[in-house]
Amino acid sequence: MKEFEGMSNEALALLYVGGNNKAFDELLERTQSKLYAYIMFVVRNEDLANDIFQETFVKVITKLHEGRYTDSGQFSFWLMRIAHNAIMDWYRAQKSDRIVDLADDNDLSNLSGSEVQDSFRECELVNEQVMADVRRMMEELPATQREVVYMRFYQQLSFKEIAQLTGVSINTALGRMRYALMNLRKMAKEHQIELALEY
């Protein structure tokens, strides 16, 4: 809408709190495709993605009306955090034991600096030639691991940003990536797919 041209998402959110419903329509228009793509990538189910997308915006509206949003210049970050929490709530309710997952109390803080460095090197970009295979195998990963891989490789977020977005320590984010890579390698071996990681 032309009347909101040049306005930030944060300003639109505050306008909506002030009673301007058109500001919310504009906010939804600006953010929905990126948010839905993120949710869909993590959950891999259209009906579930739609449910979580709607739940996210219900929570956004509720939090806005409760005054639980302040203009910090990071509305999109705040929105993704709410979506992340909604996804994790659903997965906690559906916990699957099919594949190795990182324990909640394992944040890799017991590793030495060189071991963490080695883990970080494992997290370099996956060679473009194998991205299609990796995407298919990612569907089998637990949601927490799939989410970190998506944020790192597809959204180009740093581990610090991933940690902030998902509400975990940097070591936990690194640990999830490490377990995701271990699981991807295991699946690649089982399906005889060659993975070329850049170290």
Side-chain angles (χ1 to χ4, degrees):
M1 293 179 208
K2 287 199 171 184
E3 66 181 289
F4 300 120
E5 243 176 66
M7 288 187 76
S8 68
N9 290 346
E10 294 73 21
L12 289 171
L14 296 175
L15 263 181
Y16 171 66
V17 171
N20 187 331
N21 289 333
K22 287 184 179 179
F24 185 80
D25 294 341
E26 175 70 14
L27 202 52
L28 180 63
E29 181 68 30
R30 288 183 186 184
T31 58
Q32 65 184 353
S33 67
K34 184 177 179 183
L35 181 69
Y36 183 81
Y38 161 68
I39 295 169
M40 183 63 181
F41 189 89
V42 175
V43 303
R44 291 298 202 202
N45 177 292
E46 195 172 336
D47 291 335
L48 178 58
N50 286 327
D51 288 348
I52 291 174
F53 178 82
Q54 290 172 16
E55 181 184 341
T56 298
F57 270 98
V58 167
K59 288 182 176 181
V60 166
I61 291 167
T62 303
K63 289 176 188 293
L64 286 171
H65 282 291
E66 289 174 350
R68 292 167 61 191
Y69 175 77
T70 53
D71 183 358
S72 61
Q74 298 185 340
F75 181 82
S76 295
F77 186 87
W78 183 72
L79 182 66
M80 293 280 281
R81 181 72 187 264
I82 293 170
H84 162 79
N85 290 341
I87 292 167
M88 292 304 107
D89 288 346
W90 187 86
Y91 273 103
R92 277 186 208 105
Q94 309 292 318
K95 189 74 174 154
S96 168
D97 296 338
R98 293 182 313 171
I99 200 162
V100 179
D101 198 0
L102 179 65
D104 290 338
D105 61 347
N106 182 358
D107 66 355
L108 301 184
S109 59
N110 57 335
L111 294 179
S112 70
S114 64
E115 289 172 311
V116 172
Q117 288 281 340
D118 290 343
S119 292
F120 182 74
R121 281 193 290 274
E122 285 185 358
C123 300
E124 293 297 318
L125 288 175
V126 177
N127 187 304
E128 285 182 16
Q129 299 167 34
V130 298
M131 283 303 263
D133 289 332
V134 170
R135 249 185 193 270
R136 283 193 293 275
M137 290 187 297
M138 280 174 60
E139 293 178 20
E140 302 300 318
L141 293 174
T144 54
Q145 293 173 21
R146 189 166 58 243
E147 180 180 43
V148 169
V149 172
Y150 179 79
M151 289 177 171
R152 181 75 178 130
F153 294 124
Y154 295 93
Q155 294 186 318
Q156 304 294 310
L157 297 179
S158 69
F159 281 103
K160 182 179 180 183
E161 291 169 322
I162 292 169
Q164 289 174 338
L165 245 178
T166 57
V168 299
S169 70
I170 291 176
N171 284 340
T172 298
L174 284 166
R176 288 176 178 173
M177 179 64 82
R178 183 169 175 261
Y179 277 86
L181 291 174
M182 286 169 50
N183 285 323
L184 288 170
R185 285 185 180 135
K186 181 180 172 187
M187 286 184 268
K189 190 174 180 181
E190 288 171 1
H191 298 289
Q192 298 179 343
I193 296 170
E194 189 68 34
L195 289 182
L197 296 180
E198 295 181 10
Y199 291 94

